[in-house]
Amino acid sequence: AQLLCNDLDAMVGILGSKPYFLGTQIHTIDLIVYSGLYSLIELPSPSESPLKGILETRPSLVKFFYKVKAEIEKNPPAEWVD
């Protein structure tokens, strides 16, 4: 869990106060980070898991996650739409 915490802290530092990792527009790196955060935020984990609540002290990543999620839901790639 410590390696994950180190990685998340690095992401917090790189993201800073920007809405996305490379500035004001979403890029591939944002989708990659989003997919990694998805398992921590959206997927259920056992209550005794050390990963449960690991993002509580990193609210900027949670905010980032939901911003990207909203963008994906608002403008899904054409190949995802039936």
Side-chain angles (χ1 to χ4, degrees), residues 31-81:
L31 299 174
I32 293 168
V33 172
Y34 168 84
S35 68
L37 294 175
Y38 184 90
S39 63
L40 294 173
I41 294 174
E42 296 285 326
L43 300 180
S45 64
S47 60
E48 68 276 359
S49 170
L51 301 180
K52 189 108 176 131
I54 203 165
L55 290 173
E56 289 176 0
T57 59
R58 297 162 181 90
S60 63
L61 288 181
V62 175
K63 181 179 178 182
F64 164 82
F65 173 84
Y66 285 109
K67 179 184 266 312
V68 173
K69 182 177 181 180
E71 187 66 32
I72 291 169
E73 290 172 350
K74 182 174 76 175
N75 297 308
E79 60 269 15
W80 294 0
V81 179

Side-chain angles (χ1 to χ4, degrees), residues 14-15 18-30 64:
I14 294 168
L15 182 61
K18 301 182 301 283
Y20 301 108
F21 278 87
L22 297 178
T24 58
Q25 294 184 342
I26 196 167
H27 289 84
T28 303
I29 187 64
D30 300 298
F64 164 82

